[in-house]
Amino acid sequence: MEITRRLRLLNDELTSRVGVGLLLILVFLLSLPAVTTRLYSADEIEYFAFLRSLWFDQDLSFENEYQYFYDRGIAHAYGFHETFLELRTETGLRYNFGTIGCAILWAPAYAVGHMVALTMRWLGSEVLADGFSQPYLSAVAYGSAVYAFLAVVISVAVARRLVGGGITTGLLTWLGTPLLFYTYIAPGMSHACSAFMVAVFVLVWLRVRRAWSLQGLAVLGAVTALMAMVREQDLLLVIGPIADFIWTAITRIRISSDRMRSAQQWFTASIVGSFVFAIVYIPQVISYIVLNGRLGPPNVITGKMNWLAPHALQVLFSLEHGLFLWTPLLFVASGGLLWLAWSGCGGSADRADMRRIGLLLCLMVLTQVYVTGSVESWTSAGAFGQRRFVGLTVVWVLGLATLFKVTRAGTRRLLWGVCALSVWWNLGLIAQFGAGIMDRQRLEVARNAHGTFIEVPRRLPELAYRYAFDRQSFYAPKTP
């Protein structure tokens, strides 16, 4: 009877999880019409140029891609022509400050777009199968949206494994952070792909650290390389698994009866992971050398870095550009992450290990604060939010899940209220940013608060109608 009861409970739990999962997939599929299937910023064009040029031209000469978007009035931002159609790299090619990783991740969707374009032509349509037409742009946009959804799914899985729960906090993080913007409004940016790869990276690390096997380290090395190819700054996140590996290795070697042999095994394991990383990273190495004549980004990028990170505190707390002002939900999530690092999580089997994971995750977050604070353009002015932190979605979900886990019923109601206000703040800023009713270069807290809680609710029916049926009206140039 006891066994039967347990099997019934297990079956009910599995059925519930499957039901919730299918519901989330259905909601996401129904939301796909909200994805904006166009490119407009220089960053988006740079990432797309990698894919289109390699697919159709089999080279890394992006002049025709840049010229295409410029001629059609898509890439007319200040300085675009001078930077991408006049200046040349050391090897005589046009600059591309992006990386190749998004092209790799988008390739399956792009292939589908190519097949759609060929099929449409076969059916008599005049759409061009040239890599630029709408089927290709739509494929990339929808591909990014899928990666954002998968990032949330994986983040929920990580949170559920470590502290329990996770579905609610995953949805809150999606709705309450710039990930939502880069899922639906600007999917051509790298941030959805970054969130996906970092989530995969953290998931693989948490599984590999159970035994640190050679196979596991090989997989972790491969995932790390692809993550670094999507966004270079994400490579710094490897400091977490490296510190964890060294920590474990030293502990195991100390208690081993044959320390020399144990040290050799751990050293071999590190070599395997590093070797696989180097092999998988070769596409980025080749692109660096072909484009820049050196193993690394162009000098114009590295020249904008001050490695003393003079803007680190401003990145977090600036009234005009600070992460926690743009996205207050992440301040809440940071509290949960600090709790995890300080005391583990109530009810966890191995509190010391949970504290180590929390501490390493905090260290990983600090690497992103450090590198963002080192960049001359730390403000991310003109972009929505402190976008360089979108990749940490899995960490934010875990921090938020931890906080919900450890708070009591009365406090949890307060936490729900804070999260609800944070989500609405994010949605209000997205509406203001998209509709052009705020200064896109910076926050103005009083003005943005008025917009979020008064103007946006008043104009919500109009904005929702335009987004659903006249989205082009948001892109039309303003008449004087």
Side-chain angles (χ1 to χ4, degrees), residues 203-340:
L203 178 65
V204 170
W205 164 46
L206 292 175
R207 290 182 65 87
V208 169
R209 71 187 301 272
R210 297 174 183 174
W212 293 111
S213 65
L214 294 180
Q215 298 91 332
L217 282 165
V219 173
L220 184 59
V223 169
T224 303
L226 185 52
M227 177 181 70
M229 286 191 284
V230 172
R231 283 187 67 81
E232 293 154 322
Q233 75 177 69
D234 291 344
L235 178 59
L236 294 178
L237 298 175
V238 79
I239 192 173
I242 287 177
D244 194 22
F245 178 85
I246 294 173
W247 193 332
T248 305
I250 292 174
T251 302
R252 300 281 177 82
I253 291 170
R254 281 180 175 176
I255 64 175
S256 174
S257 59
D258 188 346
R259 293 185 177 183
M260 183 59 68
R261 183 181 179 186
S262 179
Q264 289 175 346
Q265 291 174 340
W266 283 97
F267 180 72
T268 300
S270 67
I271 293 298
V272 169
S274 301
F275 178 76
V276 173
F277 170 87
I279 294 298
V280 177
Y281 197 64
I282 284 177
Q284 187 61 56
V285 171
I286 293 174
S287 69
Y288 277 145
I289 294 173
V290 170
L291 283 173
N292 308 319
R294 60 196 291 264
L295 184 56
N299 289 324
V300 293
I301 291 292
T302 55
K304 295 180 179 180
M305 304 294 292
N306 181 343
W307 294 109
L308 296 176
H311 305 294
L313 289 178
Q314 292 171 284
V315 166
L316 297 177
F317 301 108
S318 166
L319 294 178
E320 295 182 342
H321 308 286
L323 174 69
F324 295 142
L325 264 295
W326 265 103
T327 315
L329 187 69
L330 299 188
F331 185 77
V332 180
S334 297
L337 202 59
L338 290 172
W339 182 283
L340 187 65

Side-chain angles (χ1 to χ4, degrees), residues 29-56:
L29 292 176
L30 292 175
S31 75
L32 286 178
V35 175
T36 303
T37 56
R38 71 168 191 139
L39 303 180
Y40 69 96
S41 74
D43 286 7
E44 292 176 304
I45 292 168
E46 290 175 80
Y47 290 115
F48 181 83
F50 262 109
L51 178 55
R52 197 270 166 195
S53 189
L54 288 170
W55 190 285
F56 281 91

Side-chain angles (χ1 to χ4, degrees), residues 150-457:
L150 291 176
V152 174
V153 170
I154 296 170
S155 301
V156 168
V158 169
R160 180 182 291 274
R161 176 177 177 272
L162 291 179
V163 300
I167 294 178
T168 302
T169 54
L171 292 175
L172 284 173
T173 304
W174 199 358
L175 295 173
T177 71
L179 178 63
L180 187 69
F181 182 90
Y182 294 106
T183 301
Y184 293 103
I185 312 298
M189 300 288 277
S190 64
H191 304 298
C193 293
S194 172
F196 168 73
M197 282 311 309
V198 174
V200 173
F201 169 74
V202 171
L203 178 65
V204 170
W205 164 46
L206 292 175
R207 290 182 65 87
V208 169
R209 71 187 301 272
R210 297 174 183 174
W212 293 111
S213 65
L214 294 180
Q215 298 91 332
L217 282 165
V219 173
L220 184 59
V223 169
T224 303
L226 185 52
M227 177 181 70
M229 286 191 284
V230 172
R231 283 187 67 81
E232 293 154 322
Q233 75 177 69
D234 291 344
L235 178 59
L236 294 178
L237 298 175
V238 79
I239 192 173
I242 287 177
D244 194 22
F245 178 85
I246 294 173
W247 193 332
T248 305
I250 292 174
T251 302
R252 300 281 177 82
I253 291 170
R254 281 180 175 176
I255 64 175
S256 174
S257 59
D258 188 346
R259 293 185 177 183
M260 183 59 68
R261 183 181 179 186
S262 179
Q264 289 175 346
Q265 291 174 340
W266 283 97
F267 180 72
T268 300
S270 67
I271 293 298
V272 169
S274 301
F275 178 76
V276 173
F277 170 87
I279 294 298
V280 177
Y281 197 64
I282 284 177
Q284 187 61 56
V285 171
I286 293 174
S287 69
Y288 277 145
I289 294 173
V290 170
L291 283 173
N292 308 319
R294 60 196 291 264
L295 184 56
N299 289 324
V300 293
I301 291 292
T302 55
K304 295 180 179 180
M305 304 294 292
N306 181 343
W307 294 109
L308 296 176
H311 305 294
L313 289 178
Q314 292 171 284
V315 166
L316 297 177
F317 301 108
S318 166
L319 294 178
E320 295 182 342
H321 308 286
L323 174 69
F324 295 142
L325 264 295
W326 265 103
T327 315
L329 187 69
L330 299 188
F331 185 77
V332 180
S334 297
L337 202 59
L338 290 172
W339 182 283
L340 187 65
W342 180 256
S343 61
C345 188
S348 58
D350 189 344
R351 181 165 294 189
D353 193 53
M354 289 292 290
R355 289 178 62 189
R356 183 200 293 192
I357 292 172
L359 181 63
L360 294 173
L361 289 171
C362 287
L363 181 61
M364 291 159 70
V365 172
L366 288 177
T367 66
Q368 303 305 291
V369 175
Y370 167 74
V371 73
T372 304
S374 300
V375 182
E376 186 179 280
S377 58
W378 67 272
T379 63
S380 295
F384 183 80
Q386 276 289 352
R387 57 192 178 91
R388 294 183 177 98
F389 292 87
V390 172
L392 294 173
T393 294
V394 62
V395 181
W396 306 130
V397 172
L398 178 57
L400 208 54
T402 300
L403 209 55
F404 272 96
K405 176 77 173 181
V406 300
T407 51
R408 297 178 180 178
T411 309
R412 192 171 297 168
R413 285 193 289 271
L414 176 62
L415 180 59
W416 269 112
V418 172
C419 288
L421 285 174
S422 298
V423 167
W424 183 253
W425 175 257
N426 186 63
L427 296 175
L429 289 180
I430 288 176
Q432 294 173 72
F433 192 94
I437 54 179
M438 67 173 283
D439 186 347
R440 292 178 177 175
Q441 299 299 312
R442 60 193 175 97
L443 280 178
E444 299 171 287
V445 177
R447 178 185 173 189
N448 296 139
H450 179 273
T452 296
F453 297 107
I454 296 178
E455 185 169 4
V456 168

Side-chain angles (χ1 to χ4, degrees), residues 63-114:
E63 183 158 5
N64 55 327
E65 283 80 19
Y66 295 155
Q67 195 67 55
Y68 174 90
F69 288 105
Y70 184 81
D71 289 345
R72 284 155 182 78
I74 298 171
H76 273 195
Y78 174 77
F80 182 90
H81 192 278
E82 292 81 356
T83 303
F84 298 106
L85 288 170
E86 295 179 19
L87 300 177
R88 293 187 180 273
T89 68
E90 296 294 326
T91 59
L93 297 173
R94 298 302 183 188
Y95 279 103
N96 191 317
F97 305 127
T99 44
I100 200 171
C102 286
I104 295 172
L105 291 182
W106 286 337
Y110 199 75
V112 173
H114 186 54

